[in-house]
Amino acid sequence: MDNVIIAENLSLSYKEFETIISKATFSIEAGSFVFITGASGSGKSTLLKSFYGAIEPRQGQLMVGGVKMNHISTSKLNFLRRHIGIVFQDYKLIKEWTIEKNVMLPLIISGYTGDVSGAQVQKLLGHVKLTHQAGKYPQELSGGEQQRVAMARALAHNPILILADEPTGNLDDYSSSVIWNLLEGANTQLKTTVIVVTHHIPEGLRIPYKHYHIEFGTINEIA
Amino acid sequence: MKSLKNHLSLIIALFTVLASVQIYVAVDRTIAAYESHLKNDYSVIVVTSELINPGEFKAMNSMIDRSEPISTAQVLERLKGEMSQKNLDLLKLTLPKFYRLYLNRFPTPREISQLQKKLESNSAIERVEGFSQTHDTVYKLMLLFKDVVQIFSIAIAAVTSLLILKEMRLWQFQHAERMNIMALFGAPVWLRSAVLFRLAIVDAIIATLILCLAFFLIDYYGYLTMQLKEIGISVQLFNFVDDAVRSLIIALGVSVALTFTIVLFHREEE
Ligand SMILES: Nc1ncnc2c1ncn2[C@@H]1O[C@H](COP(=O)(O)OP(=O)(O)O)[C@@H](O)[C@H]1O
Ligand SMILES: [Mg+2]
């Protein structure tokens, strides 16, 4: 099986003489389900950012989906991002757009229009149990509902990789279970690689997964 | 409401640019109309020793539109009783010929003196009267006014462009969140900025419509046009087809170009 992510001696930092992640070497297989844990401020979000090109490697090599992330061009990065679905801790929904249109965003960007994307959006809103809220705006929804919208958006374009940063961080149990179910479903049914940053690994998972823990800038796999 | 205010300031800024250009064009057009009015009244008097036909005059200088001989018959008529026919015939032969030359446009003082020199260099021409000192003061004032309007327009265009840039930076700030989110899902720059361009285009069209309306009303109520008629100028201050198209092109050009600068110099975050 191919690797979706390959890191070799990867170091990450925001400023020049600082280190958040230090010389990490690891790879993530396509189709796997990965949890990343670590204390607050340990660099989990920073690592995730490097996967979608919001921060460039300070040192070492990073490949995502076969694309080299060091000095990546804007057009290559845009192309890569059109095959990634991201769920942010703060949802990042477009507040001027309806729920329906928010879910449609990746499809709009990929140039799908009309019936195809409409049907896809309806299907996803059904999966996250928000069909009746389709015409509302993000502010009119609860945090849990907004995160379910973000989850639907992350799946809309059938990405090869889903990155989720504490997706259930402060959600109610119902919304959390909807989100875990969808992440599991995407992984088992669509073979999508899923990488989730979380504080707690949910109990009762029916799928095999890998677990990496970040501490003092190093990434260790927990068996 | 807040977005309406943003629209308004861009529309007003664009309208100001368009209006100053339109005023410049109208002044230019008025001066051209006044020039053709002056041209009809203006002529150069030439005294020659020989008959010169219109073709010969035209060959002397391209500014010469046509020539008319000034009849000496009246003078001779008056002398009829006092001279014998023989002397009169002799006088007729030796009397110089007078011509009035009309020009195809209204000359500048420099052009008059050049024309005068050119004509005087011809051996058959004895005297030229160009009336350069009668050069109209109203005309000179108009030329001055045109210069003032030109400087004024340039200043207005510069200041308003800065205002528009500032306004658009505000827009960009308002749309930054959405644009960043779109970037995270791989939207290319043009797609992220589509909103800004759409706003810029819509506002350019609205500003053009307002300009057309304003100048249509000025033309329709005709106060200015009437004033100009009184000094013998008939001019169309606003020409619907030409001016509307030019205004639209300028408005679109300015707002789209400024949007481009904003988009190009935008730094991404996250
Ligand atoms: N945009 C940023 N600029 C500078 N430093 C940052 C930025 N984001 C995070 N950091 C710092 O990097 C470290 C790791 O942050 P982060 O990856 O967000 O941690 P986690 O997600 O594990 O809580 C923290 O010390 C944080 O202060
Ligand atoms: Mg974090």
Side-chain angles (χ1 to χ4, degrees), chain B residues 78-112:
Chain B
R78 240 191 291 152
L79 296 173
K80 221 168 196 175
E82 297 162 33
M83 276 187 201
S84 69
Q85 188 61 38
K86 198 180 157 213
N87 281 341
L88 214 59
D89 286 344
L90 195 69
L91 184 65
K92 216 183 216 171
L93 279 177
T94 50
L95 199 67
K97 319 287 178 286
F98 295 87
Y99 293 93
R100 190 185 287 280
L101 303 183
Y102 291 97
L103 305 184
N104 51 22
R105 66 188 145 93
F106 190 66
T108 64
R110 213 177 109 98
E111 282 174 325
I112 296 178

Side-chain angles (χ1 to χ4, degrees), chain A residues 44-45 89 165-166 197:
Chain A
K44 306 182 293 296
S45 297
Q89 197 171 1
D165 194 350
E166 302 193 33
V197 166

Side-chain angles (χ1 to χ4, degrees), chain B residues 45-88:
Chain B
I45 306 290
V46 178
V47 184
T48 69
S49 54
E50 298 167 19
L51 284 171
I52 299 182
N53 65 39
E56 286 173 294
F57 271 122
K58 283 184 91 153
M60 286 178 205
N61 191 300
S62 60
M63 275 189 82
I64 297 168
D65 185 48
R66 63 201 156 87
S67 63
E68 267 175 16
I70 299 171
S71 171
T72 49
Q74 259 186 339
V75 185
L76 293 173
E77 189 67 23
R78 240 191 291 152
L79 296 173
K80 221 168 196 175
E82 297 162 33
M83 276 187 201
S84 69
Q85 188 61 38
K86 198 180 157 213
N87 281 341
L88 214 59

Side-chain angles (χ1 to χ4, degrees), chain A residues 1 30-34 151 155 159-160 162 179-195 204-209:
Chain A
M1 197 110 221
S32 59
F33 199 112
V34 175
M151 187 68 234
L155 294 168
I160 56 158
I162 292 177
I179 284 168
W180 288 125
N181 275 333
L182 276 171
L183 289 172
E184 264 188 275
N187 180 249
T188 52
Q189 284 154 39
L190 304 170
K191 306 280 171 263
T192 311
T193 311
V194 177
I195 302 175
L205 279 178
R206 290 152 297 185
I207 51 165
Y209 60 85

Side-chain angles (χ1 to χ4, degrees), chain B residues 6 9-11 13-14 160-176 179 195-204 251-263 266:
Chain B
N6 291 337
S9 34
L10 179 63
I11 290 169
L14 285 173
T160 14
S161 295
L162 287 177
L163 280 178
I164 295 173
L165 264 179
K166 219 182 119 199
E167 191 57 41
M168 287 187 163
R169 209 162 289 149
L170 216 105
W171 277 9
Q172 198 191 28
F173 184 71
Q174 284 172 349
H175 294 283
M179 288 166 78
V195 203
L196 298 183
F197 283 107
R198 198 158 48 223
L199 288 173
I201 288 169
V202 167
D203 287 3
L252 284 176
V254 168
S255 65
V256 170
L258 291 176
T259 312
F260 254 113
T261 50
I262 284 287
V263 169
H266 173 59

Side-chain angles (χ1 to χ4, degrees), chain A residues 31-65:
Chain A
S32 59
F33 199 112
V34 175
F35 286 107
I36 297 171
T37 57
S40 175
S42 58
K44 306 182 293 296
S45 297
T46 305
L47 182 64
L48 223 51
K49 277 183 198 170
S50 75
F51 296 164
Y52 59 85
I55 182 171
E56 274 202 29
R58 179 71 60 187
Q59 271 171 23
Q61 302 278 322
L62 178 64
M63 303 268 289
V64 178

